[in-house]
Amino acid sequence: MPRVLLFLLLVFAATISPVLHAVDTEEQPGAAALDPDYAAGKKAIEARNWNAAIKSFSTAALRAPDNADLQNYLGFSYRKLGQLEPAFKHYQRTLALSYPRSPSLVRPFPINKNQV
């Protein structure tokens, strides 16, 4: 019986881990409280509703185009839908906003998109 419980715990942790990782990496953790679309996007990510997350975060990004967290969430949501081109576009924008003094970190590099 303990092995079954351990297995179920590991399955649960593996399932929730990607969502928690995306949520816990915010540079401005209180920003969602100020924008209802941002908050709706975070709830959509928790519910794994990637289309709703993209819609909410895109609307919030119209008001805050330089918010790296919004760009990161958009990249994450597009990646979860398997739409790698827009995902990489938003991830590159995240890096550009997060590291404005280090342009070498934003430089495009070859990547095998099938390994993402």
Side-chain angles (χ1 to χ4, degrees), residues 19-35:
V19 173
L20 292 178
H21 177 70
V23 173
D24 291 339
T25 59
E26 292 181 330
E27 290 181 5
Q28 301 171 1
L34 304 175
D35 188 324

Side-chain angles (χ1 to χ4, degrees), residues 17-77:
S17 175
V19 173
L20 292 178
H21 177 70
V23 173
D24 291 339
T25 59
E26 292 181 330
E27 290 181 5
Q28 301 171 1
L34 304 175
D35 188 324
D37 290 311
Y38 193 131
K42 287 182 70 172
K43 286 184 181 182
I45 280 187
E46 290 172 11
R48 296 176 179 253
N49 186 342
W50 313 121
N51 288 314
I54 289 168
K55 181 179 177 186
S56 296
F57 289 132
S58 294
T59 302
L62 292 174
R63 291 185 294 276
D66 294 335
N67 184 315
D69 295 326
L70 287 171
Q71 297 299 319
N72 186 43
Y73 281 130
L74 281 164
F76 178 79
S77 300

